[in-house]
Amino acid sequence: MTTINTAQYTNAYLLLGNTAASIAKATAAASSSNTGSSSQDAATNITLSSTAQSALATKDLATVVAETRAALTKLLTDAKLTSPLKDGKLALDLSSLDRRALYAVAANTENKFTDDERSAAALELTSRLDAALAGPAAIGRVTGDYASLYKAAVEFLDGASAEEKATDTWARQKAALLEAQKQLTADPTTLPVVDNDPVADYLKRAAGGQTGPSRDFGDIAKDARTALDKQYEDAKAAGKELVFSKFRTKGQQADFSQFDSRSLSAIALNKDEKFSDQEVSAAKAEMRTRSGQALLASFKSASSSTDPTAFATNIIGAYASLSSEEREAAGWSESFYAAAVSNYESSLKLAQMFAQSSGSSSNSSGLGGLAGLLGG
């Protein structure tokens, strides 16, 4: 058995971009990976002002519903849509809505939302759960250790609003996850069998190819085109030219900081030929930069761990957290993933051989001793 370094979540979000949602998820993942273990990375902390904390604590449900109704209407208007769904899939980007707002829509709180809007919110919530479980599920399939997968599921469930936590569905799922964790404590290598287990549902859907991004890649490209066009308009209004080269000091630099990696991939891959050569080139450069940052973060977190397989598991988790388009744009091929798996297997075998040759009675002490020899 080997310990999984959960820093791979943070690495994946480095590649996914700098949206507020990505930063919040990455921070939560980084904090959770440091709880109760001296071998984890230092936690990343975001301190909210007292005003922000007060607003989060005191905003009543009626205010949330009213604000969400207004925000959803604006999103539909800006996208020139009458429904957030198209052929049963999300046609509207709902990433700007937080989880409490999405639940308010899905539950049709105060009867303010249409059936399509309710379905769209439910799809977005499921997509966010899938994203939270993709990395640890991939690691579990390789390592045979599913503790971190269930830990991620518990953390996602615990991130629900008070309204969602008050439902029978939430209570049943939380009870199922806690029971599953008990079963894993007794037998860490066997997947639990528990009713109402959201992890089991995810794994079943994943096996059937029913998990992953909830929006068509073509719709992502349309949104990216609209966002870039807005930057051209803003630059023109300021009397400047929008430029994509860092070497051009005159003009207004294009800003990719608010593009998540799937949007950036849509530009870089240009499957629908919506983007110019310079836009494509700049997007590819940004993807390479983010990919390099993710790999560097994976290496740094592994270097501070006593687990010699940490770097490989970080990469496996990050790879699984990305869509096929994101991997293609980042240059993360199937052979890249295969190399990470091979690295994990060889590192684990070497650690086990070291433990045996040193006469260690503990697998973890053997891993720590090997990590010390390797400079970990």
Side-chain angles (χ1 to χ4, degrees):
M1 190 58 53
T2 183
T3 301
I4 295 174
N5 186 323
T6 53
Q8 69 273 356
Y9 308 127
T10 309
N11 303 335
Y13 287 114
L14 275 173
L15 187 55
L16 290 175
N18 299 318
T19 62
S22 295
I23 293 171
K25 292 175 187 175
T27 302
S31 298
S32 67
S33 69
N34 285 278
T35 303
S37 173
S38 61
S39 66
Q40 303 297 328
D41 303 323
T44 301
N45 297 310
I46 293 179
T47 303
L48 296 176
S49 67
S50 57
T51 302
Q53 292 180 26
S54 176
L56 287 173
T58 61
K59 186 176 289 188
D60 59 53
L61 184 58
T63 300
V64 171
V65 171
E67 291 178 351
T68 303
R69 177 65 273 172
L72 188 52
T73 298
K74 186 176 188 305
L75 287 172
L76 287 166
T77 301
D78 290 347
K80 299 179 181 179
L81 295 173
T82 57
S83 169
L85 295 179
K86 182 180 72 174
D87 299 328
K89 293 185 177 182
L90 275 176
L92 185 67
D93 182 4
L94 298 179
S95 62
S96 60
L97 300 182
D98 66 21
R99 184 164 170 183
R100 192 182 183 198
L102 286 171
Y103 178 75
V105 178
N108 196 19
T109 308
E110 298 184 4
N111 296 314
K112 296 290 186 181
F113 306 98
T114 68
D115 288 344
D116 278 3
E117 290 168 348
R118 294 180 65 188
S119 296
L123 284 172
E124 175 68 14
L125 285 169
T126 299
S127 180
R128 293 186 187 185
L129 171 63
D130 291 354
L133 300 185
I139 293 172
R141 284 191 288 269
V142 173
T143 67
D145 187 338
Y146 291 94
S148 288
L149 173 58
Y150 276 87
K151 182 174 182 287
V154 169
E155 289 167 352
F156 182 86
L157 208 64
D158 286 345
S161 64
E163 294 83 15
E164 187 176 349
K165 288 180 178 179
T167 65
D168 290 340
T169 297
W170 187 93
R172 287 194 296 268
Q173 290 184 339
K174 182 61 180 288
L177 291 176
L178 293 178
E179 172 58 28
Q181 287 184 314
K182 289 181 181 178
Q183 291 186 20
L184 280 173
T185 299
D187 184 359
T189 62
T190 301
L191 279 169
V193 178
V194 186
D195 290 338
N196 302 307
D197 180 357
V199 172
D201 175 69
Y202 166 79
L203 293 175
K204 182 179 179 180
R205 289 186 295 105
Q210 299 173 346
T211 58
S214 54
R215 297 188 67 210
D216 286 331
F217 196 56
D219 290 337
I220 299 291
K222 290 177 183 178
D223 287 351
R225 179 69 272 166
T226 299
L228 274 180
D229 288 344
K230 181 65 165 58
Q231 291 194 28
Y232 280 105
E233 292 173 6
D234 291 345
K236 184 177 181 180
K240 298 180 180 180
E241 176 187 4
L242 189 68
V243 297
F244 292 83
S245 172
K246 302 297 183 182
F247 298 103
R248 296 186 61 180
T249 56
K250 293 183 179 180
Q252 181 170 303
Q253 285 289 334
D255 182 12
F256 285 128
S257 64
Q258 296 305 310
F259 286 68
D260 67 17
S261 69
R262 199 156 187 243
S263 299
L264 202 60
S265 299
I267 303 173
L269 299 178
N270 197 21
K271 291 182 179 293
D272 295 332
E273 299 185 352
K274 294 180 178 295
F275 306 98
S276 68
D277 289 345
Q278 67 172 353
E279 291 168 346
V280 170
S281 179
K284 287 181 177 178
E286 177 67 16
M287 283 297 293
R288 287 194 296 271
T289 297
R290 294 188 188 183
S291 177
Q293 290 172 340
L295 290 173
L296 180 60
S298 293
F299 180 77
K300 286 183 175 179
S301 68
S303 297
S304 63
S305 171
T306 58
D307 179 3
T309 68
F311 181 59
T313 54
N314 286 351
I315 297 302
I316 292 168
Y319 181 94
S321 298
L322 302 177
S323 67
S324 59
E325 297 92 357
E326 290 166 313
R327 295 169 193 160
E328 182 182 353
W332 288 21
S333 64
E334 290 184 8
S335 60
F336 176 75
Y337 173 79
V341 173
S342 177
N343 180 276
Y344 165 80
E345 292 172 344
S346 59
S347 296
L348 181 60
K349 184 176 181 179
L350 186 60
Q352 292 170 339
M353 292 174 64
F354 176 83
Q356 293 171 359
S357 65
S358 64
S360 171
S361 60
S362 168
N363 185 51
S364 60
S365 64
L367 292 175
L370 179 60
L373 288 178
L374 297 176

